[in-house]
Every structure is written in C-alpha cells, then in structure tokens.
C-alpha cells in the first residue's frame, strides 16, 4: 500500500510539473476551409492575407482589416515574418481561415516589441488567405546560394574546357622526328651548293 501511495504521489508531481510548462511552437486551429481546396501554400509561394494580431489579454496590436489598411503580401519561407507565421501559414488554401496561437519562441521572444508587444508574450492571430501564387519552377529562394553555385560551376567548366582545348592543340601538332629535320637540313645544304 505504501508503494502504491508513493507511486501515485510521484505521478502527481510529474503531471504537475508537465502541466506548468508552456507549449512550444505554434498551435493551428482551422476555423473554416473551402470544400474545393486544390492548391496549398508552401515555401516559395506568394500569399496575400488579412490578419488581426492580439495579445492573450485580447488587446489587438495590429490588423490589416483596420481602416485605411490593406491585405498583407509575403513570400513564405524567406524570413519576412515571425517563425510562427512561417509555420502557421503553410498548407493553407485560398478562402481558409485559421487561428494561430504562437508561443514567444516563435514570435518576439523575451525582447518583445517596445511599446507594442511585451517580452515573452503569446500572440493570437486570426488569418484569412485571400490569394495564392505558386512559385515558378525557375524561381530560386533568396539567400539559397544558388547563383553563387552556378557561377562557380560555370567558371570550373570554362577552366576545364580551356585545359581540354590546349591539350587537344598540343596533340594535334605533328611531332618533328629527327629524320624529318635531317632531310630539311640536307635540302638546305643542297640548295646552297647549287647557288
């Protein structure tokens, strides 16, 4: 019986410590989604969204729906927005509405935003995807190093071609044998004697 009580007590302590920990990341709650959703947002896509951001207290700190404001456009996966948005907006389709609960680690962290968002604030966003432009197959994400890699490959290719071309020219030149040069020398001597 004593062991049983100790196990129960230990279990209660563990669950209490687990319950006190804040969840990490972003919680995504789909509020509405069209039935005919065919294209989903992914990294590299340009999206247009309406949003409202609030603190846990309910105080709104930013909204694209405010008077005089317009929907917000961004390219997913390029670091234009906080990490919680980057993750929370993936897999959406046009017309979908989501609520994002973003933990501080995925938002502004301990620093917050002076005068707007306190440090360690959990942010609540209501987001509606208005438009989605799929990335082009030929597009390259910014900062990927793609152009640098292509430049290096081109330079290596040009250098290799130049070495190949020179080697080919060297092998194409006829080798002068001793017999060939001796006959020339003899021909020159004969022509001098005739003169």
């Amino acid at each position: 019986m004593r062991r049983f009580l100790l196990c129960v007590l230990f279990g209660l302590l563990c669950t209490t410590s687990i319950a006190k920990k804040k969840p990490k990341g972003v919680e995504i709650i789909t509020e509405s989604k069209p039935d005919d959703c065919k294209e989903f947002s992914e990294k590299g896509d340009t999206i247009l969204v309406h949003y409202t951001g609030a603190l846990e207290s309910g105080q709104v700190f930013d909204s694209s729906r405010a008077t005089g404001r317009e929907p917000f456009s961004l390219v997913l996966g390029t670091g234009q927005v906080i990490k919680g948005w980057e993750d929370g907006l993936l897999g959406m389709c046009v017309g979908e509405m989501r609520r994002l609960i973003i933990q501080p680690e995925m938002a502004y962290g301990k620093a917050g935003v002076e005068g707007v968002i306190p440090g360690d604030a959990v942010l609540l966003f209501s987001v509606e995807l208005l438009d989605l432009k799929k990335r082009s197959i030929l597009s390259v994400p910014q900062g990927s190093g793609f152009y640098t890699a292509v430049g290096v490959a081109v330079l290596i290719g040009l250098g290799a071609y130049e070495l190949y071309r020179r080697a080919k020219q060297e092998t194409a030149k006829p080798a002068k044998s001793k017999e060939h040069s001796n006959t020339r020398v003899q021909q020159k001597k004969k022509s001098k004697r005739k003169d």
Side-chain angles (χ1 to χ4, degrees):
M1 180 69 167
R2 199 176 214 181
R3 285 184 186 176
F4 175 74
L5 289 175
L6 284 174
C7 287
V8 169
L9 183 60
F10 180 73
L12 285 173
L13 287 173
C14 288
T15 24
T16 307
S17 67
I18 290 171
K20 287 181 182 177
K21 289 183 182 177
K22 287 184 178 178
K24 292 190 179 210
V26 59
E27 182 181 348
I28 301 168
I29 301 164
T30 302
E31 293 179 337
S32 68
K33 187 175 191 172
D35 293 332
D36 61 341
C37 194
K38 293 179 181 119
E39 285 190 322
F40 298 92
S41 60
E42 57 189 3
K43 288 183 180 180
D45 292 346
T46 301
I47 62 171
L48 185 68
V49 296
H50 256 315
Y51 69 92
T52 299
L55 302 174
E56 282 183 299
S57 66
Q59 178 187 348
V60 173
F61 60 83
D62 193 14
S63 179
S64 66
R65 294 183 185 274
T67 307
R69 299 281 307 271
E70 296 199 8
F72 182 67
S73 177
L74 69 131
V75 179
L76 282 174
T78 59
Q80 291 177 284
V81 292
I82 58 175
K83 183 79 171 112
W85 260 44
E86 290 280 1
D87 291 355
L89 299 177
L90 289 173
M92 285 185 83
C93 65
V94 174
E96 183 175 345
M97 293 180 77
R98 285 185 180 177
R99 195 169 57 161
L100 308 176
I101 302 171
I102 303 173
Q103 298 302 314
E105 302 82 34
M106 302 277 288
Y108 297 101
K110 292 184 185 297
V113 176
E114 191 176 335
V116 181
I117 300 170
D120 285 327
V122 173
L123 305 181
L124 311 173
F125 283 95
S126 177
V127 183
E128 178 184 5
L129 183 60
L130 303 173
D131 192 27
L132 166 66
K133 289 185 177 72
K134 299 303 283 177
R135 72 172 174 216
S136 164
I137 294 172
L138 302 175
S139 69
V140 178
Q142 294 175 342
S144 67
F146 175 79
Y147 294 112
T148 304
V150 168
V152 169
V154 167
L155 289 174
I156 290 171
L158 288 172
Y161 175 74
E162 183 61 22
L163 291 173
Y164 165 77
R165 192 180 64 76
R166 287 182 183 177
K168 193 172 180 179
Q169 283 177 345
E170 289 296 318
T171 57
K173 290 180 183 177
K176 292 184 180 179
S177 64
K178 285 186 179 181
E179 289 177 23
H180 182 68
S181 17
N182 283 341
T183 27
R184 279 193 154 187
V185 172
Q186 289 172 359
Q187 285 175 352
K188 283 184 181 179
K189 285 182 183 179
K190 284 183 183 177
S191 66
K192 283 186 180 180
R193 286 183 198 164
K194 288 183 182 177
D195 296 334

